[in-house]
Coordinates of all heavy atoms in Angstrom, one line a residue:
L290 N 40.6 49.7 -6.7 CA 39.8 50.7 -7.4 C 39.5 51.9 -6.5 O 39.5 53.0 -6.9 CB 38.5 50.0 -8.0 CG 37.6 50.8 -8.9 CD1 38.5 51.4 -10.1 CD2 36.5 49.9 -9.4
A291 N 39.2 51.6 -5.3 CA 38.9 52.7 -4.3 C 40.1 53.6 -4.1 O 39.9 54.8 -4.0 CB 38.4 52.1 -3.0
A292 N 41.3 53.0 -4.0 CA 42.5 53.8 -3.8 C 42.7 54.6 -5.1 O 43.1 55.8 -4.9 CB 43.7 52.8 -3.6
F293 N 42.5 54.1 -6.2 CA 42.7 54.8 -7.5 C 41.7 56.0 -7.5 O 42.1 57.2 -7.8 CB 42.4 53.9 -8.7 CG 42.3 54.6 -10.0 CD1 43.4 55.1 -10.6 CD2 41.0 54.7 -10.6 CE1 43.3 55.8 -11.9 CE2 40.9 55.4 -11.8 CZ 42.0 55.9 -12.4
L294 N 40.5 55.8 -7.1 CA 39.5 56.9 -7.2 C 39.7 57.9 -6.1 O 39.5 59.1 -6.3 CB 38.1 56.3 -7.1 CG 37.6 55.5 -8.3 CD1 36.4 54.7 -8.0 CD2 37.4 56.4 -9.5
A295 N 40.1 57.5 -4.9 CA 40.4 58.4 -3.8 C 41.5 59.4 -4.2 O 41.5 60.5 -3.7 CB 40.8 57.6 -2.5
G296 N 42.4 59.0 -5.0 CA 43.4 59.9 -5.4 C 42.9 61.1 -6.2 O 43.6 62.1 -6.4
F297 N 41.7 61.0 -6.7 CA 41.1 62.1 -7.5 C 40.3 63.0 -6.6 O 39.7 64.0 -7.1 CB 40.2 61.5 -8.6 CG 41.0 61.0 -9.7 CD1 41.6 59.7 -9.7 CD2 41.2 61.7 -10.9 CE1 42.4 59.2 -10.7 CE2 42.0 61.3 -11.9 CZ 42.5 60.0 -11.9
R298 N 40.3 62.8 -5.3 CA 39.5 63.7 -4.4 C 40.3 64.9 -4.1 O 39.8 65.9 -3.5 CB 39.1 63.0 -3.2 CG 38.0 61.9 -3.4 CD 37.6 61.3 -2.1 NE 36.4 60.4 -2.3 CZ 35.9 59.8 -1.3 NH1 36.4 59.8 -0.1 NH2 34.8 59.1 -1.6
S299 N 41.7 64.9 -4.3 CA 42.5 65.9 -3.7 C 42.2 67.3 -4.3 O 42.4 68.3 -3.7 CB 44.0 65.6 -4.0 OG 44.2 65.4 -5.4
G300 N 41.7 67.3 -5.6 CA 41.5 68.6 -6.2 C 40.1 69.0 -6.1 O 39.7 70.0 -6.7
T301 N 39.3 68.4 -5.2 CA 37.9 68.8 -5.0 C 37.7 69.3 -3.6 O 38.4 68.9 -2.7 CB 36.9 67.7 -5.3 OG1 37.2 66.6 -4.4 CG2 37.1 67.1 -6.7
A302 N 36.7 70.1 -3.4 CA 36.4 70.5 -2.0 C 35.9 69.3 -1.2 O 35.4 68.4 -1.7 CB 35.2 71.6 -2.1
P303 N 36.2 69.4 0.1 CA 35.9 68.2 1.0 C 34.4 67.8 0.9 O 34.1 66.6 1.1 CB 36.3 68.7 2.4 CG 37.3 69.8 2.1 CD 36.9 70.4 0.8
T304 N 33.5 68.7 0.7 CA 32.1 68.4 0.7 C 31.6 68.1 -0.7 O 30.4 67.7 -0.8 CB 31.3 69.5 1.3 OG1 31.5 70.7 0.5 CG2 31.7 69.8 2.7
A305 N 32.4 68.2 -1.7 CA 31.9 67.9 -3.1 C 31.9 66.5 -3.3 O 32.8 65.7 -2.9 CB 32.9 68.6 -4.1
P306 N 30.8 66.0 -4.0 CA 30.8 64.6 -4.4 C 31.8 64.2 -5.4 O 32.3 65.1 -6.2 CB 29.4 64.4 -4.9 CG 29.0 65.8 -5.4 CD 29.7 66.8 -4.5
L307 N 32.3 63.0 -5.4 CA 33.2 62.5 -6.4 C 32.4 62.3 -7.7 O 31.8 61.2 -7.9 CB 33.9 61.2 -5.9 CG 34.9 60.6 -6.8 CD1 36.1 61.6 -6.9 CD2 35.4 59.3 -6.3
T308 N 32.3 63.2 -8.6 CA 31.4 63.2 -9.7 C 31.9 64.0 -10.8 O 32.7 65.0 -10.6 CB 30.0 63.6 -9.3 OG1 29.2 63.6 -10.4 CG2 30.0 65.1 -8.8
A309 N 31.5 63.8 -12.0 CA 31.8 64.7 -13.1 C 31.0 66.0 -12.8 O 29.8 65.9 -12.6 CB 31.3 64.1 -14.4
T310 N 31.7 67.1 -12.8 CA 31.1 68.3 -12.4 C 30.2 68.9 -13.6 O 30.8 69.4 -14.6 CB 32.1 69.4 -12.1 OG1 33.0 68.8 -11.1 CG2 31.5 70.6 -11.5
V311 N 28.9 68.7 -13.5 CA 28.0 69.2 -14.5 C 27.2 70.3 -13.8 O 26.6 70.0 -12.8 CB 27.1 68.1 -15.1 CG1 26.1 68.6 -16.1 CG2 28.0 67.0 -15.7
P312 N 27.1 71.5 -14.4 CA 26.3 72.5 -13.8 C 24.8 72.0 -13.5 O 24.1 71.6 -14.4 CB 26.3 73.7 -14.8 CG 27.5 73.4 -15.6 CD 27.6 71.9 -15.7
A313 N 24.4 72.0 -12.2 CA 23.1 71.5 -11.9 C 22.2 72.7 -11.6 O 22.4 73.5 -10.7 CB 23.2 70.7 -10.6
T314 N 21.2 72.8 -12.5 CA 20.2 73.9 -12.4 C 18.9 73.4 -12.3 O 18.5 72.4 -13.0 CB 20.4 74.9 -13.5 OG1 20.1 74.2 -14.7 CG2 21.7 75.5 -13.6
R315 N 18.0 74.0 -11.6 CA 16.6 73.5 -11.5 C 15.7 74.3 -12.3 O 15.8 75.6 -12.4 CB 16.1 73.6 -10.0 CG 16.8 72.5 -9.2 CD 15.8 72.0 -8.1 NE 16.3 70.9 -7.3 CZ 16.1 69.6 -7.6 NH1 15.3 69.3 -8.7 NH2 16.6 68.7 -6.9
E316 N 14.9 73.7 -13.1 CA 13.9 74.4 -13.9 C 12.5 74.1 -13.2 O 12.3 73.1 -12.5 CB 13.8 73.8 -15.3 CG 15.1 74.1 -16.0 CD 15.1 73.6 -17.5 OE1 14.2 72.8 -17.8 OE2 16.0 74.0 -18.2
P317 N 11.6 75.0 -13.3 CA 10.3 74.9 -12.7 C 9.6 73.6 -13.0 O 9.6 73.1 -14.1 CB 9.4 76.1 -13.3 CG 10.5 77.1 -13.7 CD 11.7 76.3 -14.1
G318 N 9.2 72.9 -12.0 CA 8.5 71.6 -12.1 C 9.4 70.5 -12.6 O 9.0 69.4 -13.1
G319 N 10.8 70.7 -12.4 CA 11.7 69.7 -12.9 C 11.6 68.4 -12.1 O 11.3 68.3 -10.9
D320 N 11.9 67.2 -12.8 CA 11.9 65.9 -12.2 C 12.9 65.1 -13.0 O 13.8 65.6 -13.5 CB 10.5 65.3 -12.2 CG 9.8 65.3 -13.6 OD1 10.5 65.5 -14.6 OD2 8.6 65.2 -13.6
R321 N 12.7 63.8 -13.1 CA 13.6 62.9 -13.8 C 13.1 62.7 -15.3 O 13.6 61.8 -16.0 CB 13.7 61.6 -13.2 CG 14.3 61.6 -11.7 CD 15.6 62.4 -11.6 NE 16.7 61.9 -12.4 CZ 17.9 62.4 -12.5 NH1 18.1 63.5 -11.8 NH2 18.8 61.8 -13.2
T322 N 12.2 63.5 -15.7 CA 11.7 63.4 -17.1 C 12.9 63.7 -18.0 O 13.7 64.7 -17.8 CB 10.6 64.5 -17.4 OG1 9.5 64.2 -16.5 CG2 10.2 64.4 -18.9
A323 N 13.1 62.9 -19.1 CA 14.3 62.9 -19.9 C 14.0 63.7 -21.2 O 12.9 63.8 -21.7 CB 14.7 61.5 -20.3
R324 N 15.1 64.3 -21.7 CA 15.1 65.0 -23.0 C 16.3 64.3 -23.7 O 17.4 64.1 -23.2 CB 15.3 66.5 -22.8 CG 15.5 67.2 -24.2 CD 15.6 68.7 -23.9 NE 15.9 69.5 -25.1 CZ 17.1 69.9 -25.4 NH1 18.1 69.7 -24.6 NH2 17.3 70.6 -26.5
R325 N 16.1 64.0 -25.0 CA 17.1 63.3 -25.7 C 17.4 63.9 -27.1 O 16.5 64.3 -27.8 CB 16.7 61.8 -26.0 CG 17.7 60.9 -26.6 CD 17.3 59.5 -26.7 NE 17.5 58.8 -25.4 CZ 17.7 57.5 -25.2 NH1 17.9 56.7 -26.3 NH2 17.8 57.0 -24.0
L326 N 18.7 64.0 -27.4 CA 19.2 64.6 -28.6 C 19.9 63.4 -29.4 O 20.5 62.6 -28.8 CB 20.2 65.7 -28.4 CG 19.7 66.9 -27.5 CD1 20.8 67.8 -27.3 CD2 18.5 67.6 -28.2
C327 N 19.8 63.5 -30.7 CA 20.3 62.3 -31.5 C 21.0 62.9 -32.7 O 20.6 63.9 -33.3 CB 19.2 61.4 -31.9 SG 19.7 60.0 -32.9
W328 N 22.2 62.3 -33.1 CA 22.9 62.6 -34.2 C 23.5 61.4 -34.9 O 24.1 60.5 -34.2 CB 24.1 63.6 -33.8 CG 25.1 63.9 -35.0 CD1 24.7 64.2 -36.2 CD2 26.5 63.9 -34.9 NE1 25.9 64.4 -37.0 CE2 27.0 64.2 -36.2 CE3 27.4 63.7 -33.8 CZ2 28.3 64.3 -36.4 CZ3 28.8 63.8 -34.1 CH2 29.2 64.1 -35.4
A329 N 23.2 61.3 -36.2 CA 23.7 60.1 -37.0 C 24.8 60.7 -37.9 O 24.5 61.4 -38.9 CB 22.6 59.5 -37.8
P330 N 26.1 60.5 -37.6 CA 27.2 61.0 -38.5 C 27.1 60.5 -39.9 O 26.7 59.4 -40.2 CB 28.4 60.5 -37.8 CG 28.0 60.3 -36.4 CD 26.6 59.8 -36.4
D331 N 27.5 61.3 -40.9 CA 27.4 60.9 -42.3 C 28.6 60.0 -42.5 O 29.5 59.8 -41.7 CB 27.5 62.2 -43.2 CG 28.8 63.0 -42.9 OD1 29.8 62.4 -42.6 OD2 28.7 64.2 -43.1
P332 N 28.5 59.3 -43.7 CA 29.6 58.3 -44.0 C 31.0 58.8 -43.9 O 31.9 58.1 -43.5 CB 29.2 57.8 -45.4 CG 27.7 58.1 -45.6 CD 27.5 59.3 -44.7
A333 N 31.2 60.1 -44.4 CA 32.6 60.6 -44.3 C 33.1 60.7 -42.9 O 34.2 60.4 -42.6 CB 32.6 61.9 -45.0
T334 N 32.2 61.2 -42.0 CA 32.6 61.3 -40.6 C 32.8 59.9 -39.9 O 33.8 59.8 -39.2 CB 31.5 62.1 -39.8 OG1 31.3 63.3 -40.4 CG2 31.9 62.2 -38.3
R335 N 32.0 59.0 -40.3 CA 32.2 57.6 -39.8 C 33.5 57.0 -40.2 O 34.3 56.4 -39.4 CB 31.1 56.7 -40.2 CG 29.7 57.1 -39.7 CD 28.7 56.0 -39.7 NE 28.5 55.4 -41.0 CZ 27.6 55.8 -41.9 NH1 26.8 56.8 -41.6 NH2 27.5 55.2 -43.1
A336 N 33.9 57.3 -41.5 CA 35.2 56.8 -42.0 C 36.3 57.5 -41.3 O 37.3 56.8 -41.0 CB 35.2 57.0 -43.5
A337 N 36.2 58.8 -41.0 CA 37.2 59.5 -40.3 C 37.4 59.0 -38.9 O 38.5 58.9 -38.4 CB 36.9 61.0 -40.3
I338 N 36.3 58.6 -38.2 CA 36.4 58.1 -36.9 C 37.1 56.7 -36.9 O 38.0 56.5 -36.1 CB 35.0 57.9 -36.3 CG1 34.3 59.3 -36.0 CG2 35.0 57.1 -35.0 CD1 32.9 59.2 -35.6
R339 N 36.8 55.9 -37.9 CA 37.5 54.6 -38.0 C 39.0 54.8 -38.2 O 39.8 54.1 -37.6 CB 36.9 53.7 -39.1 CG 35.5 53.2 -38.7 CD 35.1 52.1 -39.7 NE 34.9 52.7 -41.1 CZ 33.8 53.2 -41.6 NH1 32.7 53.2 -40.8 NH2 33.7 53.6 -42.8
T340 N 39.3 55.7 -39.1 CA 40.7 56.0 -39.4 C 41.5 56.5 -38.1 O 42.6 56.1 -37.8 CB 40.9 57.0 -40.5 OG1 40.2 56.5 -41.7 CG2 42.3 57.4 -40.8

Side-chain angles (χ1 to χ4, degrees):
L290 189 53
F293 169 74
L294 293 167
F297 283 80
R298 290 181 170 182
S299 58
T301 62
T304 58
L307 184 63
T308 179
T310 307
V311 178
T314 58
R315 286 213 175 266
E316 294 182 347
D320 52 16
R321 300 309 297 179
T322 301
R324 174 175 176 262
R325 185 171 284 208
L326 306 173
C327 182
W328 173 43
D331 58 35
T334 302
R335 298 199 304 266
I338 291 172
R339 289 192 296 270
T340 299

